[in-house]
Structures are given as structure tokens and as C-alpha cells.
Amino acid sequence: MPKVSEEHREAMRQRILDAALACVARKGFSAASMADIVAEAGLSAGAVYLYYKGKEQLTVDVGRRVLEDRLAILEVLGRARPVPPPSQVIPEMMAGLPKTQFFPGIALQVWGEAVHHDELAGVARQIIGDVTGHIAAYLQKWLQSTRGLDPDAAAAEAARLAPAVVGLVQGYIVQVAFAGGDIGERYLESARGVLERL
Amino acid sequence: MPKVSEEHREAMRQRILDAALACVARKGFSAASMADIVAEAGLSAGAVYLYYKGKEQLTVDVGRRVLEDRLAILEVLGRARPVPPPSQVIPEMMAGLPKTQFFPGIALQVWGEAVHHDELAGVARQIIGDVTGHIAAYLQKWLQSTRGLDPDAAAAEAARLAPAVVGLVQGYIVQVAFAGGDIGERYLESARGVLERL
DNA sequence: GTCTATACTGTGATAGAC
DNA sequence: GTCTATCACAGTATAGAC
């Protein structure tokens, strides 16, 4: 088994994917041409096709990566003891979002693309489900520790609240993408206001 | 002044815009070709250019219309007396959204397009601001009537809470677009859970 | 004055010759 | 691995039919 070749292959795919991500972030999915990507990657036209079958595959991988990156910030949840309240941990999580590459404009673009792209839509559905599940798990812990609910009751209440909490995060993404700048802090403060009553 | 011509002109623009909306909803902004739109409208290529200067102008108009349609549902707010609580009126408003044409997938696509389209981004910003303002005005009324806050205090609190409430609605749009079906009711119930503590 | 049919021009993705 | 030709198709303009 040709080891070098395999590593090289993976490295090249990464490099191409990075380039594609940058181009899409700058110009959008359809306006980003293979020529742009190729130039950004510092390769020549034909080379790309050795590693990616075509633009379609590249599109899906870019979308998948953007969406999956969102999962990374979920680590914040449930780390600290005692379990911190949602009004602290959720805004913290949102504040961490824009730090990741090219966020949040690109996430909106991926959503838009996914609407008419079945494979991406599947990925989006799955990620949203994952995020909701993680948030629900955190909420359950919090409800148990601060309200003394028994596990079942806490789980039920957590499952009820989780989708809206995720929605709050999605709203943040939308608003930051357009209003930018000062809205970020205003929104976080607003989210705190809503969450601290939970 | 040729009256017929003017009416005709407006009717044709509507017809073309409807066709474009349908095509965009089906295939997305970039995949919807002028040929598609022309066919959907039952016209021939050249005719369109008598009414729309080009695809760019059509794109902007489609986006503007989709986003402006969102304003219509704000009527629910402030209709009833006594002022109903957010946990009732906000979900009611969200439930009304999917009834409007092609919603919500197309809204997501417009957002995605607007990210790299300055004029559309401006429209999006403005609509979000409008919606936030209306929600804040409603919240102020509600806070005054149920908490006996003085107008200034109520206005401040309303302004603080409004962005997150709008975010809740945007989250609904995202989740319904992908998960579809049953998520709608679950989300509304979830939003009620969050809002009823306000 | 409106619309149809069709032709023009640029650009993009891709494949195949170096 | 690169460079360049090909081929399809998009947006647009125009020439004439009703």
C-alpha cells in the first residue's frame, strides 16, 4: 500500500477544500468558479480533478465542513461544575461562533444552498439534530442540579426547551451576518434576558 | 398618457416576478435560468427584457418581495385587547409563516444570496430592523399592561428583549426548512416554553 | 407597440494532449 | 502535474411577425 501517496492525497484534498472554502466565503457557491479555487490553491486546472471528481463533490464537502465545524463549540457545554446556567453558557457559545473561520456569512450560504441540494440538506438536518441533542443533554443536567427534578422530568423539560434554544443560536447567526458589528453584543444581551428567566 | 399600457406593464412585471419566484423556489437563485423563468411565465426570451432590464434586477425584486412578505404577519401583533402574552402571539405569528407562498425554504435562499449581494443585504437588514421594531413596540405595550411598568422602563426592557424574540422566529424558519413536518409543532411548543417565563 | 424566434458572445466545467 | 481545447449553456440583443 503506497503510504506516501495516501497521505499526499489527503493533504491535497485538504488544501483544495481550504481554497474552496475561502472562495465560497468570498463569492458564494455558484459564483466561485473552479478557476478561482484552482488559483487560490495554487494548482492548475486539471490537478484538482485528481482529488475531487468535480465541483459537485467539492460543494458537498465544503458545506459539510462548514456545518460540522459548528459542532466543535458544543464542547463548552457541560464542562464546568457546578453546571452553569443557560443565560451564561449559551451566549458564551454564541460569542465563540464568529471566531471560527469565515463565520457566520458562510453558514447562511450553506443553508441556502442546502435548500435545493438533497445531500447537503441531509447533512444540515443531522447537524441540527445533533446540536439539539447536545443542548438538551446539557439542559437536563442543569435542570436536575438546580431544580432537583428527577431525571425523567428533567429530560422531558429539556427536550421541550432545546429546539427554541437552538433557534436562538440560529437567529444570532442570521442577525450577525447582516447587521454585523454592534448587533452581536446587543443580541447576546437580549438572549441573556430571555434565558435568565428559564 | 397611455393608461392601458401602464397597467399592462405592471401586470406583466407581476407575472414575470411570479414566474421567477416559482423557479427560484424550485431550483435556487443561480440554477434558475432566464430560460426557465421565460418558460414558466409563458413568454419568449425577448419579451422579458421589455419589462426587466436583466436578471440582476429580477433577482433583487424576487428577494425583496420574499423578505417584505414577512412583514405582513406582523399584523397579528397588537390586534387583540387585552394585549395577549408573547407565549401566545409569537407562536401564532410563526404558525402563520408557512402559509405564505413557498415559505420557508425560499427565505433561507434569499438570505444566502444576500450574503454576497449588497443591495439584497441592505433589504434584509432593513426588514430585520423593521420586524425588531414592531416586536419591541408590542412587547412594550404588553409589559406596560401586565407589569405596570412606566413607559420608559417598558420601552427599555422591550428593546432589550426584541432581538432574541426575532431570533426565535428566524430559528423557526431554519428548522422548518430542513426538518419539516413534525418539527413545526415541536418548535412552537418549545418557543412557548421559553416565552411563557418572560 | 408587443411579442417570438433565433443568433451572438462570454464563461464555466471538464477532458485530454503535453 | 500543467496547459489548452472543447463543449454546453447562460444571459442578452435583434429582426421581424402580429
Side-chain angles (χ1 to χ4, degrees):
Chain A
M1 201 137 182
K3 188 177 175 191
V4 219
S5 192
E6 199 45 45
E7 278 170 13
H8 180 71
R9 188 180 164 73
E10 205 34 58
M12 287 303 275
R13 283 179 65 100
Q14 264 307 322
R15 181 169 159 190
I16 293 167
L17 193 56
D18 284 343
L21 193 58
C23 291
V24 168
R26 232 186 348 261
K27 318 176 56 168
F29 273 95
S30 50
S33 70
M34 287 303 257
D36 294 329
I37 294 166
V38 150
E40 177 86 22
L43 292 173
S44 251
V48 174
Y49 290 87
L50 295 185
Y51 304 98
Y52 272 99
K53 227 183 122 186
K55 196 186 183 180
E56 171 69 14
Q57 210 180 104
L58 203 39
T59 299
V60 174
D61 262 29
V62 167
R64 191 195 311 278
R65 170 148 153 198
V66 169
L67 295 177
E68 281 176 350
D69 277 1
R70 303 310 121 233
L71 288 175
I73 49 160
L74 288 173
E75 290 175 22
V76 200
L77 304 175
R79 252 191 346 212
R81 296 290 154 135
V83 187
S87 62
Q88 178 191 326
V89 70
I90 303 293
E92 206 170 286
M93 179 181 135
M94 292 196 264
L97 278 176
K99 308 278 170 66
T100 71
Q101 223 183 7
F102 305 119
F103 212 78
I106 191 159
L108 270 190
Q109 295 189 65
V110 173
W111 282 339
E113 191 71 11
V115 169
H116 51 79
H117 192 302
D118 290 348
E119 194 173 350
L120 270 186
V123 176
R125 219 184 329 272
Q126 195 206 315
I127 304 278
I128 293 175
D130 268 19
V131 172
T132 306
H134 278 82
I135 300 248
Y138 150 74
L139 284 174
Q140 183 189 3
K141 267 193 261 176
W142 179 71
L143 288 167
Q144 281 185 246
S145 78
T146 62
R147 300 254 182 95
L149 291 180
D150 69 276
D152 281 357
E157 182 68 356
R160 181 185 182 219
L161 294 175
V165 173
V166 173
L168 228 35
V169 178
Q170 290 160 335
Y172 175 73
I173 290 171
V174 174
Q175 294 189 37
V176 168
F178 292 120
D182 55 325
I183 199 66
E185 254 317 311
R186 265 188 69 203
Y187 192 97
L188 293 185
E189 182 51 29
S190 188
R192 260 178 234 118
V194 169
L195 292 169
E196 73 198 2
R197 267 95 164 185
L198 280 188
Chain B
M1 199 131 183
K3 188 176 170 190
V4 220
S5 191
E6 198 45 45
E7 279 170 14
H8 180 72
R9 188 178 165 72
E10 206 33 59
M12 288 302 275
R13 283 181 63 100
Q14 264 308 322
R15 180 170 159 191
I16 293 167
L17 193 56
D18 284 343
L21 194 57
C23 291
V24 168
R26 231 188 346 263
K27 316 176 57 168
F29 272 94
S30 50
S33 71
M34 287 302 256
D36 293 329
I37 294 166
V38 150
E40 176 86 24
L43 292 174
S44 249
V48 171
Y49 288 88
L50 293 183
Y51 305 98
Y52 272 99
K53 230 183 119 186
K55 193 186 184 181
E56 171 69 13
Q57 211 180 102
L58 202 40
T59 299
V60 174
D61 262 30
V62 168
R64 191 195 312 278
R65 170 149 153 197
V66 169
L67 295 177
E68 280 175 351
D69 277 0
R70 302 312 119 235
L71 289 174
I73 49 158
L74 288 173
E75 289 175 24
V76 199
L77 304 176
R79 253 190 347 209
R81 296 287 155 140
V83 187
S87 62
Q88 177 190 328
V89 71
I90 302 293
E92 207 170 286
M93 181 181 133
M94 293 196 265
L97 277 175
K99 308 277 170 66
T100 73
Q101 220 182 10
F102 305 121
F103 211 80
I106 193 160
L108 269 190
Q109 295 191 66
V110 173
W111 282 339
E113 190 71 10
V115 169
H116 50 80
H117 192 303
D118 290 348
E119 194 172 351
L120 269 186
V123 176
R125 220 185 329 274
Q126 195 206 316
I127 305 277
I128 292 174
D130 267 20
V131 172
T132 306
H134 278 83
I135 300 246
Y138 150 74
L139 284 174
Q140 183 188 3
K141 266 193 264 176
W142 179 72
L143 287 167
Q144 280 185 247
S145 80
T146 62
R147 301 254 181 94
L149 290 180
D150 70 274
D152 282 357
E157 182 68 358
R160 181 185 182 220
L161 293 176
V165 174
V166 174
L168 227 34
V169 178
Q170 290 161 335
Y172 175 73
I173 290 171
V174 175
Q175 294 188 37
V176 169
F178 292 121
D182 55 325
I183 198 65
E185 254 316 311
R186 264 189 69 203
Y187 191 97
L188 293 185
E189 182 50 30
S190 188
R192 260 178 232 117
V194 169
L195 292 168
E196 72 197 3
R197 268 95 164 185
L198 279 188

